[in-house]
Amino acid sequence: MAGELLQLTITQAGAALAAGDFSAHELAQAHLDAMESARGLNAFTAETPERALTMADAADQRRAQGETLGPLDGIPIAVKDLFCTEGVLSTAGSHILDGFTPTYESTVTRNLWAAGAVMLGKTNMDEFAMGSANVTSHYGPCINPWQASSGDSVGKDLVPGGSSGGSAAAVAARIALGAIGTDTGGSIRQPGAFCGVVGLKPTYGRCSRWGVIAFASSLDQAGPLTRTVRDGALMLGAMAGHDPMDSTSVDAPVPDYATALTGDIKGMRIGVPAEYRMDGMPGEIETLWRQGRDWLEHAGAAIVDISLPHTKYALPTYYIVAPAEASSNLARYDGVRYGLRVDGEDMTDTYEKTRAAGFGPEVKRRVMIGTYVLSAGYYDAYYLQAQKVRTRIANDFRAAWEVCDVILTPTAPSAAFAIGEKMDDPIAMYLNDIFTVPASMAGLPAISVPAGLSADGLPLGLQLIGPAFAEETMLRTADVLESAAGFTAKPSW
Ligand code: GLN
C-alpha cells in the first residue's frame, strides 16, 4: 500500500483522498518514510516530519467536516530552500545563512499552505540559486535518482541539474508528489529535464517574490516541479496571484489553469526558432526536437519557422545582468543581520571575514563580476549595453508572437552529466542554460516536459515558451506534448 501511494500524481492522490481510499496522514507518512530512506540522495537540507503530520491531520479533519480546500488539500510537497519558511531553517544552500530561521513565511509558500498543501521539508540547491548542477551547495551535491544505462557515465552519480536540483530529485525519486523551485535562467526547467519531471516557470510577476531569498530580482520567479503538466497547472494556480508586498507581482486574476487543458490544439501555431539549432548540438537532442514538432503537427497544430536573431547574446548578457543584481542583493550578508558571523578586529574586518568564510567560490565569482560591471567606467560599457540587448531579446519574441502562439525548443543541450564534470570550467557549466535563458531575459513563461530518453537511458526534455501571461495556451500545448510523448520511464532509484 505505502509503495503505491508514492506512485501517484497530485491529481490521482487528490481523487483518492476524496474517495477516502487513504488519509492525508497516511499519504504524508508514506512520503516521510520515503524521504528517510532516500537520504543518500541528499535532496533535503531540512526535514519537517512533525509539521507534515500536523498539516496532514488538519487536512483530514477538514475533509471529515466537508470543508476541503481544493485540489492540493492534504498533498505532500517539498520546498526549495530559497523560500523563507517561518520557524524552519532557510539557508539558500549557503554557509552564510547558517542557522537562519525566518520569523516570516514567503507569500508563495503561505499560498500553498492556505490551499492545504503539506510541507515535507526544504530541498537542497545551488548556493543562492547560482548553478546548473546542484554542486555549489554548502550542504554537498544532490544526487539524481536516474542512472545511465550505458556510456561514459555508467555507475557514476549524476547531477540532478540546478539550481532547484533537490526539488526535481525529490519529485523524480517519489519522495514528494510535487515541489516548488525558482527559475532565474533555467533553474526549474533544466533540473526538470535532467530528472524526467515537468518544470514550469511562469511569467515574471505571476508569483510573488516576497520572502524568496533574492538572487537576480528582475529574473527570479517561483514555479512548480511535478510529474504531470496537469499537476503543474494545479500547483501554479495555488501559488500565483497579486501580492501588495511585491510591487513586481501583477494584479491580474489567476485563471483556473487546469481547465485550459482541453487536449485540443488544432490550429495552434508552433514556432520553431532557427537560432536554437546550435553547432555541436548532440544528434539525439535534434532528433527529439524534430519528434516534438511532428507530435504537435499530428495533433493539429501548424509548425512555423521563426527567427529570434538575438538568441546568441542571451547567455552573455544574462551573465552581466544576473551577477550585477546578485552583487547588490548579496550585500546584505554582512555578519550582522543574518546567519554566520566571523568576528574581526573592526566592523570592516568582520564584514570581510564573514563574507570570505560564508560565500562559496561561485557566489564570490558572481559578486566580483557584478561589482565590476556596475562600477564607474564600466557601467555604460557592460551593464547598460546588456540592458539594451535584453530589450532586443524581448523584441525578438514580441515579433515572433505575430506569427506563432507558442515556441518549441529543446530544454537543455545534454542529458544529466556526472557529478564533478564541468566543475573547472564555468563557461561549460553556464552553457547548460543556453535554451532556457532567453525566455528568462524576456520574462516569459516556459515549461519543460519530459519527452524521451537519451541513448544512455537518461531523460530529455522539450521546452515550450509562451507570450507573457499566456500560461493557459502554453499549458494546453504542453499537455498535448506530454500525452504524445507518453514518457513513463522511472528512475532506477
Ligand atoms: N544556471 C543559471 C545560473 O547559474 C540559472 C540559475 C537559476 O535559474 N537560478 O545563474
Side-chain angles (χ1 to χ4, degrees):
M1 170 78 170
E4 286 163 32
L5 299 194
L6 302 178
Q7 302 305 325
L8 303 171
T9 63
I10 292 176
T11 308
Q12 290 166 340
L17 284 170
D21 294 350
F22 47 77
S23 65
H25 185 103
E26 288 170 304
L27 188 63
Q29 191 59 59
H31 285 88
L32 291 171
D33 293 345
M35 180 164 69
E36 203 178 319
S37 52
R39 280 191 185 140
L41 294 178
N42 199 24
F44 285 80
T45 47
E47 298 179 355
T48 55
E50 284 167 23
R51 186 170 297 220
L53 293 176
T54 306
M55 289 171 122
D57 289 343
D60 285 331
Q61 259 164 35
R62 282 191 294 272
R63 200 172 294 279
Q65 287 159 11
E67 289 167 4
T68 300
L69 292 170
L72 295 186
D73 205 356
I75 301 295
I77 63 163
V79 174
K80 185 180 187 179
D81 207 15
L82 201 63
F83 291 84
C84 287
T85 40
E86 189 177 351
V88 177
L89 188 66
S90 302
T91 70
S94 182
H95 185 34
I96 210 156
L97 279 170
D98 268 2
F100 173 56
T101 306
T103 52
Y104 44 85
E105 187 76 30
S106 83
T107 299
V108 161
T109 46
R110 187 159 15 89
N111 289 347
L112 284 164
W113 313 145
V118 167
M119 175 160 86
L120 293 168
K122 304 291 290 288
T123 57
N124 200 351
M125 55 178 284
D126 281 299
E127 186 177 4
F128 284 105
M130 297 174 190
S132 305
N134 209 138
V135 291
T136 70
S137 170
H138 175 64
Y139 298 92
C142 168
I143 296 168
N144 191 326
W146 289 81
Q147 293 263 317
S149 57
S150 59
D152 296 342
S153 299
V154 166
K156 295 184 184 159
D157 284 339
L158 305 182
V159 303
S163 64
S164 311
S167 288
V171 177
R174 267 85 193 151
I175 304 171
L177 277 168
I180 57 172
T182 59
D183 191 310
T184 304
S187 278
I188 291 176
R189 291 163 281 162
Q190 185 256 14
F194 277 19
C195 290
V197 300
V198 174
L200 166 55
K201 179 199 99 74
T203 309
Y204 182 78
R206 187 69 283 194
C207 293
S208 169
R209 289 182 296 107
W210 194 80
V212 183
I213 297 171
F215 164 13
S217 308
S218 75
L219 294 152
D220 300 342
Q221 259 300 291
L225 289 131
T226 51
R227 286 183 203 134
T228 64
V229 173
R230 182 168 294 275
D231 286 0
L234 293 176
M235 282 190 71
L236 178 61
M239 296 164 71
H242 179 237
D243 177 10
M245 301 295 275
D246 173 7
S247 61
T248 62
S249 80
V250 171
D251 193 0
V254 179
D256 180 351
Y257 293 113
T259 59
L261 311 184
T262 59
D264 181 7
I265 58 159
K266 284 195 191 64
M268 188 91 78
R269 296 164 307 163
I270 312 292
V272 176
E275 291 77 7
Y276 280 57
R277 199 161 289 110
M278 304 279 175
D279 284 345
M281 183 156 95
E284 60 189 9
I285 304 281
E286 172 85 41
T287 306
L288 184 73
W289 192 13
R290 194 166 318 119
Q291 173 75 73
R293 221 152 42 195
D294 292 347
W295 282 328
L296 295 177
E297 197 167 29
H298 197 72
I303 306 299
V304 188
D305 288 321
I306 61 162
S307 173
L308 299 168
H310 295 90
T311 299
K312 66 168 182 252
Y313 301 114
L315 208 58
T317 46
Y318 171 87
Y319 276 101
I320 293 175
V321 173
E325 295 184 16
S327 72
S328 165
N329 276 325
L330 270 54
R332 74 191 71 180
Y333 304 105
D334 54 9
V336 178
R337 283 173 284 195
Y338 313 88
L340 182 77
R341 174 190 306 205
V342 181
D343 284 314
E345 279 161 22
D346 53 26
M347 187 82 103
T348 306
D349 197 34
T350 299
Y351 289 167
E352 287 175 0
K353 289 208 163 82
T354 301
R355 289 168 69 86
F359 290 142
E362 184 60 30
V363 174
K364 284 180 185 154
R365 173 164 29 239
R366 303 224 189 173
V367 169
M368 283 191 278
I369 294 171
T371 318
Y372 180 82
V373 301
L374 289 176
S375 58
Y378 296 107
Y379 184 91
D380 288 357
Y382 293 102
Y383 186 69
L384 219 57
Q385 276 304 103
Q387 293 294 17
K388 287 182 189 163
V389 178
R390 184 175 186 181
T391 303
R392 292 195 177 227
I393 293 165
N395 287 343
D396 281 356
F397 281 106
R398 226 165 267 140
W401 305 133
E402 303 281 327
V403 295
C404 68
D405 304 301
V406 263
I407 292 171
L408 176 74
T409 79
T411 306
S414 75
F417 45 89
I419 292 175
E421 268 177 45
K422 306 185 206 260
M423 298 264 286
D424 45 6
D425 180 358
I427 307 270
M429 193 61 97
Y430 297 171
L431 280 169
N432 271 288
D433 298 316
I434 190 123
F435 301 135
T436 50
V437 155
S440 301
M441 292 297 269
L444 302 176
I447 187 168
S448 176
V449 178
L453 291 175
S454 72
D456 295 339
L458 297 173
L460 298 172
L462 285 173
Q463 174 180 234
L464 291 164
I465 306 170
F469 297 99
E471 275 86 358
E472 289 166 283
T473 311
M474 184 183 81
L475 287 166
R476 181 177 315 142
T477 314
D479 176 52
V480 170
L481 187 63
E482 176 180 59
S483 304
F487 185 88
T488 50
K490 286 183 185 161
S492 48
W493 174 263

